[in-house]
Every structure is written in C-alpha cells, then in structure tokens.
Amino acid sequence: MSPVKRYVSMVDLKASYRAQETEIDAAIKRVMHSGWYILGQECAAFEQDFARWCGAHHAVGVGNGTDAIIVALRGLGVGAGDTVFTVSHTAVATVAAVELAGATAMLVDIEPDTYTIDPAKLEAAVKAVKNSGGRPRAVIAVHLYGHPCDVEGIADICRRHQLFFVEDCAQAHGAMLGDAQVGTFGDIASFSFYPTKNLGAFGDGGAIVTRDRTLAERCAAIRQYGWRERYLSDQTGMNSRLDELQAAMLGVRLKRLDREIVARRSAAARYDAALAGHLHTPQVRSGVRHAYHLYVVRSAERDALAARLKARGIGTGVHYPVPVHFQKAYAGRVAIASSGMAETERASREVLSLPMHAFLQDEDVEQVIESVISECKS
Ligand SMILES: Cc1ncc(COP(=O)(O)O)c(C=O)c1O
C-alpha cells in the first residue's frame, strides 16, 4: 500500500471560517456591540434573505433543525392521535421530532437509487392506517444527502389523501427540481444549520420556510412561548430561537452558498466520472439537481473498504449505520409500514460517504479517487 500523502477529511469546518474570516469577525463584533442578542434585526434580516434565497415567501429562524420539524408540525396543528409518515433511513432527529410534537411516526421504506421515501409504499401505508381507523395527517419527506425526494409523487399522494407535505431539507440546501429549490414544494419545510450542513452556522441553528403567511406567523409564535406579543401567549409554545450571533454569521455564509454548492457539484462530477466503473456511485433522478451534502457510494464490503481508506488517510462516514427502527430507543415500538424495510436495511449495510465539502482541493479529490480505485481492485 502506498504511504499516506496527507489526510483528506470528510468535512473542513475551519475552512469555512477562514474563507470569510474578516466578514464573520465583523458580524460578531456588530452583534456584540448592539446589546441585542435574541430575535433582533440580525435574525429578521437573515430570515428575509434566506426565504428569498430559497424562493419562498417566509422563513422563521429557530434553534436547530430538530426544533424546525417540531415547530412545523405544531404550526400545522399535527399532534396527539395523528400519524406522520417518514423514513427510517434518516438522522434519528426526523423521527424524534415527530414524537416530540406528540404525533405517532410510521416509518416507510426508501427507493434504493435515491435513498428517499418510496411513494408506492407510502401510499399503501397511508391506506392501511386509514382502513384501521387511524388518522394520517402528514408526510415528512427527507431530501437525504441532498437528493430531492420524488416531490411530484409525494405531493400527489398528499393531495389525494389530504395530508400535509413537510419537507425535511436539513441536508438539501440548494437541491433543485426543475427551476425551483427544495423547501418550496410542500406546505412547510425545515432546515438545519448545524455546522456541517451545506449552510452551516458556527453553533446550532435551524429554520422553517413556507409560502403561507398565517402558518409562518403561527410558527414564529410557537418558537417563543406562543407569544402573540410580549408576555401574551395565545397558544402553547416552546423556546427555540435562532440567536443574533448565529443569524449574523449565517447571513455572511449565505452570500457564499451558491459558490459552495457549485464546488460540491464539481467535486461530485469528478468522483462520478472516475469511480462509476469501480463501485456504485450516486444516482440522480432526471430533472433534479443534487446538492451533495454527502457523496454516498455503496459497497457490499463497506466496512473493510472504509478501514482500508482510513489507512490511506481518507476520512469516510456512514449515514446511517443503524436505521431508526433498529435503534434501542425505537425498536419494537415505532410503527413500520407492512411493506417492510428491505431497502433501508440493505442501505444501512452498504452506504459509505466519501469526503465532500466546498473546500476540497483538486489534489484531495485526486487522492480520494486514486485510493478508492486501488482499494476496489485489491
Ligand atoms: C435529515 C435531518 N433531519 C433533521 C436533522 C436535525 O437537525 P439538527 O441537528 O440541527 O437538530 C438533521 C441533522 O442532523 C438531519 O440530517
């Protein structure tokens, strides 16, 4: 085996600070000198800019992407007695949020090519819940890894069965269907600004996005004790606010986001061209643009391949090694659609995320490609 040239990591968070250091430092100073640290001008400005960037009407900043889902569901009036359909092949946060909103999750299998919810299995599950006297209310479609789910298929099911369509865009800032970005297709969408995300804060952050003004206003109240105005709660709420420091820094990061997504796509295109003959590379549905939060390949010998790449100085990750329905906190308790979880379980054994971020250098991409090809041959 050739010696390690240098380490190529999965992500490089310091690089995103260095790329905009002067502007970020200025934003921090501005907030520190303002004397206003929670829900002020910075958050309002970022909400406007982010909504515009998404092509949506309204954005409401919250504390993180998990809370964004909770606030979205509560804003829609989804809670106790309601069934919310989502996937098991996701960050556990998606399912946790459903339960924290008081609703019941039903997990549905994914399509093997896109790792997103399978519409045919979804519809069968919705009908089964209806027939058994349950109350299907919403679908949370996760645009996993940055690949849009089958938006049209899911929107159609939601229309016919009168379900809310919630988009979990935590991994998909900048993913597109035709000319429109994810987050603009459903009734409401949730975003995470966890530092590793395509738009990452320097701490926690999240937002909901919607075209519906009344819904946005309800969500804005829910994030702060249900306040209509200071000290007057018209509804029950919680505390989940995007703070001024994170909002100010996100505003700076947002200016560079388009460029960073182009960089991700260009690294992905180089991986695709070089690796396609050697292992299973990401498939992209026609008419969509992947945002490559993660570049995920699959291999029947995933763990051995990851270990060999690590020895060569290539960092990898597994998203996700244990489906939610196998997690100790959920196994045997969370409802699973009767079509089963064959694709989810196979994906959890085979998926491997290669280094992917906006600051990969040409030589990093080369080193990953060379190492993967050599290790696939050996
Ligand atoms: C698909 C998905 N949904 C929700 C979340 C939750 O976001 P946060 O970590 O900001 O709460 C994440 C982040 O890990 C995610 O990847």
Side-chain angles (χ1 to χ4, degrees):
M1 187 190 289
S2 60
V4 173
K5 288 184 193 160
R6 63 205 171 96
Y7 192 70
V8 184
S9 59
M10 272 284 297
V11 293
D12 184 351
L13 300 181
K14 278 194 275 187
S16 49
Y17 172 55
R18 280 196 306 266
Q20 293 178 292
E21 187 168 346
T22 311
E23 272 187 276
I24 290 169
D25 288 355
I28 293 171
K29 276 211 139 174
R30 190 172 68 236
V31 175
M32 294 316 294
H33 284 290
S34 75
W36 194 287
Y37 305 117
I38 298 279
L39 293 191
Q41 285 177 6
E42 300 287 348
C43 183
F46 173 71
E47 287 173 340
Q48 254 190 17
D49 291 347
F50 187 63
R52 193 175 312 119
W53 183 84
C54 291
H57 292 89
H58 310 282
V60 178
V62 296
N64 55 66
T66 310
D67 284 352
I69 300 172
I70 299 171
V71 169
L73 290 174
R74 292 188 62 174
L76 291 166
V78 174
D82 296 331
T83 297
V84 176
F85 301 85
T86 190
V87 285
S88 189
H89 187 64
T90 181
V92 78
T94 313
V95 182
V98 173
E99 295 193 346
L100 285 164
T104 302
M106 172 164 277
L107 307 184
V108 179
D109 207 4
I110 51 168
E111 296 180 316
D113 285 346
T114 64
Y115 306 102
T116 58
I117 196 162
D118 181 322
K121 292 178 181 173
L122 168 64
E123 181 151 29
V126 172
K127 285 181 178 164
V129 170
K130 263 191 189 164
N131 291 339
S132 66
R135 205 161 69 202
R137 284 298 297 291
V139 176
I140 304 179
V142 183
H143 303 301
L144 200 73
Y145 307 150
H147 188 293
C149 67
D150 180 352
V151 166
E152 283 153 356
I154 290 155
D156 179 51
I157 292 168
C158 288
R159 234 180 343 261
R160 286 187 287 104
H161 295 278
Q162 280 141 33
L163 304 171
F164 293 118
F165 180 6
V166 180
E167 295 177 71
D168 180 344
C169 303
Q171 303 190 3
H173 318 64
M176 300 188 76
L177 175 68
D179 293 334
Q181 285 194 189
V182 299
T184 59
F185 299 103
D187 296 289
I188 194 164
S190 61
F191 285 85
S192 164
F193 304 127
Y194 182 75
T196 59
K197 303 301 193 213
N198 286 9
L199 177 60
F202 297 93
D204 272 317
I208 64 103
V209 153
T210 179
R211 74 181 78 80
D212 179 338
R213 172 190 285 273
T214 312
L215 179 55
E217 285 171 357
R218 215 159 40 234
C219 289
I222 289 168
R223 78 174 157 185
Q224 179 164 246
Y225 324 124
W227 277 357
R228 163 171 47 87
E229 57 182 88
R230 204 168 187 76
Y231 306 130
L232 294 178
S233 296
D234 283 359
Q235 56 191 315
T236 56
M238 55 200 273
N239 176 5
S240 184
R241 303 173 289 213
L242 180 64
D243 71 66
E244 289 288 278
L245 274 171
Q246 296 304 334
M249 293 188 278
L250 282 164
V252 175
R253 297 276 295 119
L254 183 61
K255 290 186 205 157
R256 211 176 177 278
L257 184 54
D258 286 326
R259 237 171 98 189
E260 295 196 1
I261 291 167
V262 168
R264 286 173 182 274
R265 287 191 179 125
S266 129
R270 291 186 60 202
Y271 282 157
D272 283 346
L275 299 179
H278 300 273
L279 82 185
H280 184 99
T281 50
Q283 308 296 298
V284 180
R285 204 196 315 274
S286 107
V288 312
R289 298 215 69 192
H290 202 310
Y292 293 104
H293 169 57
L294 293 167
Y295 187 91
V296 177
V297 297
R298 13 188 355 150
S299 160
E301 277 129 43
R302 189 261 317 277
D303 293 339
L305 177 60
R308 294 200 303 266
L309 290 173
K310 185 175 174 197
R312 283 176 172 267
I314 309 294
T316 59
V318 175
H319 302 88
Y320 295 92
V322 182
V324 176
H325 67 282
F326 282 161
Q327 300 276 348
K328 209 167 163 189
Y330 296 88
R333 184 176 68 73
V334 73
I336 298 172
S338 62
S339 52
M341 285 289 167
E343 293 303 340
T344 294
E345 290 168 16
R346 191 163 70 88
S348 72
R349 292 189 297 269
E350 296 182 356
V351 291
L352 183 67
S353 308
L354 299 183
M356 173 51 72
H357 55 86
F359 301 92
L360 280 173
Q361 302 298 303
D362 285 351
E363 55 270 32
D364 297 329
V365 175
E366 273 314 310
Q367 194 177 328
V368 174
I369 289 170
E370 244 180 68
S371 303
V372 171
I373 292 177
S374 312
E375 292 306 338
C376 285
K377 280 185 191 142
S378 60

